[in-house]
Structure formats: C-alpha cells, structure tokens
Amino acid sequence: MGHLHILNGPDTGLCFELKEGANYLGRSPQNDVQLQDETVSRRHLRILKKSRRYFLTDLGSRNGTLVAGKSLVPGVEVQVREQDLIAVGMTIIGIGDEACAQIRPFLDSVGLAKASGNSSGIYSAHKEKTNQRKLELVYKVTELLQRSLSKRETLAVLLDILFELLAEVDRAAFVLVKRETGEIVHALSKQKGSGRGDGSGFSEKIVARVLEQKKPLIISDAREEDQQSELTDTLAMEHITSVMCIPMVSFSEVVGVIYADSQTNPYPFAQEDIILFEDIANRTAAFVLFENLTEG
C-alpha cells in the first residue's frame, strides 16, 4: 500500500495507508483519511489508487485543492505524482514515503513546515487559501526563472506575481545594486492603482539600511515602533505604516532587495512571511547574478 503523509497543519506527522481503489479525505469520521483542519471540507477529496498510480478529484470543497501549484477543477480527475505537493484547505499533504522525506526540507525552506498560515500578513487577503497561495507563488517563481526572458522582463512578471499575492500593500519593488560599490543601478516598482515603472516606489533610507546590514527588515505597524528607533522619522516623513525589505543574496553577494510597503492601513507582515520571501529573494538573486555575468 502507498502512504499519505500530513506535512503541516494540526495533523502534522500523521500517516495513512491508501488502499487500492477509492480513498476519501475530509473532516468527517466517515472518511478514510480524517483531518482536524477546519479549512478542510467534511468530504473534500477522493484519492483513487491504481497500483502505483494516484488520481485526485476535488469533491466541490469550500477552499479547494492545489496540486503542484495548480488548482483542481471540482469533479475533474487528475493524476498526481508522488513528489507533487498537495494542499487541501490550509493543510499540505504528500504521497509516498521517500518523496515526502525529500519534501519536508523544502517546506522548511519556505516557512510552510510548521506555519499555520493564519498569522501571516498574506492571510488578510487570501484567508483560508493562504498556504495554497504561498505554494502557488513558489511554483510560479520556479517556472518563471526557467523561462527565456530578459532580466527586466522576468523581474516585471515577478513583481506582478508578488503584488497579486500581497494584495493589500500599496507599493512593491525590486531594487538592484552595483556589485563593486553597492550603488543602486536599477529599480522596478509598482504602486496600487498604477502600472509598473522605473523610479522610486520605495524608501531609499530603508533600502540603504537593509543593504548595509544584509538582514531582513519587517515592521508591521509603524505606530507601535519604538520611538527611539532610527527609522521612526523616516517612517513618519514617508507616511509608511508597514514595510518589508528582504536582501537578495547569492553566494554571499547582495545583488539587491525585494521591497513592499503600505502607506495607508498597517499590513501584518509576519515572521513566516520573511522565511518565504527570503527563499524567493535568494532564488531571484541567483538568477540576477547569472544574468549580470552573461551580460558582462
């Protein structure tokens, strides 16, 4: 028999044997795989095992099912591979002992191994599909960085993806720096209600601090920031209520930052957001560094 592993959420660590034929997953005790996660429907998913092949059907669940970064159409059966990550509601599951052992370190690296998701700032926009949106982001970024697009085109698409995920922020930007001097050489930004553009859609002082310290900066609510903080005046003068700035690092070299802020309502950036965006930042940094070398 194959095994289904619960990789995060309230049932983390549980393992279920999948019998030949149909297996049902959901909150109801009548299911073959019963989960405690309230974001999972009472009868959420059918897993059909045919020898060593597996087929999934979402049974019209409230919060949907994500497989390898793609949302399932309810009632439509799709084949799944053992290495594919599956998200039902906020819970992430996998099939196969060996494959799941390899998946766990990956979930750690993107902040999804232990995170419930509901403390994330992303939750304010995506609610009970937050972990699905996070996984979707990772798959989209991986696919994007493998395409034959220019550096600018890649960063432009990535900026749109990040803006869609964060949803309630007012500005987001990629800021790139010169290797030898750390001087800003290019910035691509986007503001709510307007398109992408070159320019200063970010706080230069905050970016400078993150580049100097090479550490992420996260402020969820500037009103609660220590009044003795060196950033207090900057936040007030630039009308920033929340900010996240993550250095982009590859081979110990900082090539820029990912920046996002809110200038209206505070945005609850959380520690688990930092872990996710550090992974995205470092993947992007490796891409930028390679492009810089080929261009030079």
Side-chain angles (χ1 to χ4, degrees):
M1 289 187 177
H3 293 92
L4 181 145
H5 295 264
I6 312 301
L7 302 174
N8 83 339
D11 300 295
T12 300
L14 293 184
C15 175
F16 298 86
E17 287 190 346
L18 297 175
K19 65 181 185 291
E20 193 71 16
N23 300 262
Y24 290 89
L25 176 150
R27 289 194 345 269
S28 168
Q30 279 72 50
N31 290 291
D32 303 286
V33 178
Q34 184 187 8
L35 301 181
Q36 302 302 313
D37 185 351
E38 290 296 323
T39 69
V40 173
S41 296
R42 289 183 58 79
R43 179 159 282 203
H44 193 113
L45 185 69
R46 182 174 66 236
I47 305 166
L48 184 63
K49 183 177 184 294
K50 295 182 179 179
S51 186
R52 294 183 59 83
R53 296 187 299 160
Y54 301 91
F55 300 85
L56 304 185
T57 306
D58 182 276
L59 302 174
S61 64
R62 183 177 80 253
N63 289 312
T65 302
L66 190 83
V67 177
K70 305 291 184 183
S71 295
L72 295 190
V73 177
V76 177
E77 185 177 85
V78 299
Q79 186 170 358
V80 62
R81 301 168 300 174
E82 288 195 354
Q83 65 265 36
D84 288 337
L85 282 167
I86 305 161
V88 287
M90 293 282 276
T91 293
I92 298 173
I93 63 177
I95 296 174
D97 296 339
E98 185 177 342
C100 288
Q102 296 172 356
I103 287 171
R104 285 189 178 95
F106 164 74
L107 291 179
D108 269 325
S109 73
V110 295
L112 280 168
K114 298 178 182 178
S116 64
N118 57 12
S119 64
S120 167
I122 299 168
Y123 185 84
S124 62
H126 300 285
K127 306 302 182 188
E128 296 178 337
K129 292 188 177 183
T130 293
N131 286 347
Q132 294 185 40
R133 297 290 80 83
K134 289 181 176 182
L135 273 180
E136 188 177 38
L137 169 68
V138 174
Y139 276 99
K140 282 182 176 180
V141 171
T142 300
E143 179 182 324
L144 174 63
L145 296 180
Q146 294 173 346
R147 292 169 60 185
S148 300
L149 298 177
S150 69
K151 181 170 61 180
R152 179 180 172 80
E153 289 171 328
T154 298
L155 294 179
V157 175
L158 187 50
L159 189 60
D160 288 341
I161 292 172
L162 295 180
F163 214 86
E164 179 183 0
L165 177 74
L166 295 171
E168 296 182 5
V169 300
D170 292 313
R171 303 188 298 180
F174 281 98
V175 182
L176 304 183
V177 298
K178 193 171 183 178
R179 180 178 183 181
E180 296 80 7
T181 64
E183 172 190 2
I184 293 176
V185 292
H186 182 66
L188 185 65
S189 63
K190 184 173 182 178
Q191 300 189 39
K192 183 179 289 186
S194 62
R196 296 187 303 263
D198 299 313
S200 56
F202 58 92
S203 167
E204 294 185 13
K205 289 186 177 179
I206 289 174
V207 168
R209 170 174 163 163
V210 170
L211 288 172
E212 179 184 1
Q213 297 185 353
K214 301 181 181 180
K215 294 180 180 179
L217 172 69
I218 181 171
I219 297 173
S220 295
D221 191 340
R223 296 172 301 183
E224 299 177 0
E225 187 71 0
D226 183 354
Q227 293 303 305
Q228 302 304 314
S229 169
E230 61 185 275
L231 289 176
T232 300
D233 291 341
T234 297
L235 295 169
M237 290 177 60
E238 300 188 31
H239 307 289
I240 295 171
T241 56
S242 306
V243 63
M244 178 179 71
C245 190
I246 311 291
M248 297 164 54
V249 183
S250 181
F251 297 106
S252 301
E253 182 175 335
V254 178
V255 302
V257 302
I258 293 178
Y259 177 95
D261 73 19
S262 175
Q263 296 179 301
T264 50
N265 298 317
Y267 185 95
F269 291 113
Q271 182 62 35
E272 60 190 74
D273 295 332
I274 287 184
I275 298 172
L276 172 66
F277 283 103
E278 276 189 312
D279 178 81
I280 300 303
N282 293 341
R283 289 170 186 245
T284 308
F287 163 79
V288 169
L289 191 58
F290 176 79
E291 289 296 307
N292 289 347
L293 291 172
T294 56
E295 288 173 0

